[in-house]
Amino acid sequence: VETVRAGLQRWVVGRRIKSVAVAGERTLRRHVAGADDFVARLTGRRFAAARRRGKYLWLPLDDGTSLLAHLGMSGQFLAVPANAAAGKHLRARWTFDDDGPELRFHDQRTFGGLALAELVEADGTLVPSTIAHIARDPMDPGFDPDRAVRALRSRRTEVKRALLDQTLVSGIGNIYADEALWRARLHGTRPVERLTRAQGTVLLASATEVMAEALRAGGTSFDSLYVNINGQSGYFERSLNVYGRGDRPCRRCGTPIRREPFMNRSSYFCPRCQPKPRSSR
DNA sequence: CTTCAAACCTGTGGGC
DNA sequence: TGCCCACAGGTTTGAA
């Protein structure tokens, strides 16, 4: 998502919108005022910046509101030459007064979406009102690791579930959760009440490290849908240590990586480096 | 209030 | 070759 944000910063910030078109029922399901309102309020406005918190992106406008986006599973923002042929999963397009490249939102699986939201102050930062519940992510200058560790430990659940809870710390999804747990040598089913403060600190530092390395590689493109604004994939997938590596040797100890069902998806871990806690099944 | 599982969606790929 | 089903992901919803 950060890779996409950087692309938006470069390609659309500062430009004035000439026209907006939206397709698909689900694209604006979070914009309760509907498509006409969406189009009317964006037309003629200028994108003032490109921001991100966790997996949410937003483009503040020059009127105190913002275009908020979530890529879901398969959402893409693409900068394409004006009037280029429409792709199959085109959901929205913006043209600009300068007649330069258009901005397009594509989404195959439609878990992503767009909305307009007013910017409100939360904890000293302007954020779209509808995502005020999302915690700061580890790349945020205002991120407070001790506070995040406290938040994780305040739950009565397992470590991986807490790590995926975007109201405690944001930006960590299934891939980076597994990678962070592997680095910290922790098993995801450990109850948080048995996670020491020191372990929590190491775990968050590991997550931060994974995300920073992934960003340097241009992102994690485990799927051809994960592309930047120019349609290019990142290269971090080849650096993953556990995610998607079931039955292949752990890069630390050679033990075959295990894959287990977890919340309608999968968890990957090294059974030797990350032994299951005694009490968990 | 907290926690959890189901629902949302579509393209891909394995098994038969 | 073609069909069917499992699977991938993140967030919201409603139930417990």
Side-chain angles (χ1 to χ4, degrees), chain A residues 62-75:
Chain A
D62 52 1
D63 67 351
T65 65
S66 65
L67 169 62
L68 177 66
H70 196 291
L71 302 179
M73 271 299 300
S74 53

Side-chain angles (χ1 to χ4, degrees), chain A residues 143-204:
Chain A
F143 181 71
D144 178 347
D146 291 338
R147 185 170 158 183
V149 169
R150 251 181 281 128
L152 290 176
R153 285 169 27 103
S154 73
R155 296 286 122 150
R156 304 187 65 81
T157 188
E158 297 168 351
V159 175
K160 183 170 173 181
R161 301 180 95 99
L163 213 48
L164 292 173
D165 186 336
Q166 307 294 302
T167 67
L168 306 178
V169 56
S170 71
I172 302 173
N174 200 38
I175 300 175
Y176 295 150
D178 281 359
E179 293 297 312
L181 288 161
W182 181 84
R183 288 189 190 214
R185 300 176 191 249
L186 290 168
H187 195 281
T189 63
R190 175 187 292 263
V192 288
E193 60 259 42
R194 301 234 320 278
L195 180 78
T196 66
R197 273 190 297 276
Q199 285 172 322
T201 303
V202 169
L203 180 58
L204 280 180

Side-chain angles (χ1 to χ4, degrees), chain A residues 220-236:
Chain A
T220 303
S221 301
F222 87 100
D223 184 306
S224 63
L225 297 170
Y226 285 32
V227 294
N228 69 11
I229 196 164
N230 302 119
Q232 299 154 330
S233 291
Y235 293 99
F236 193 65

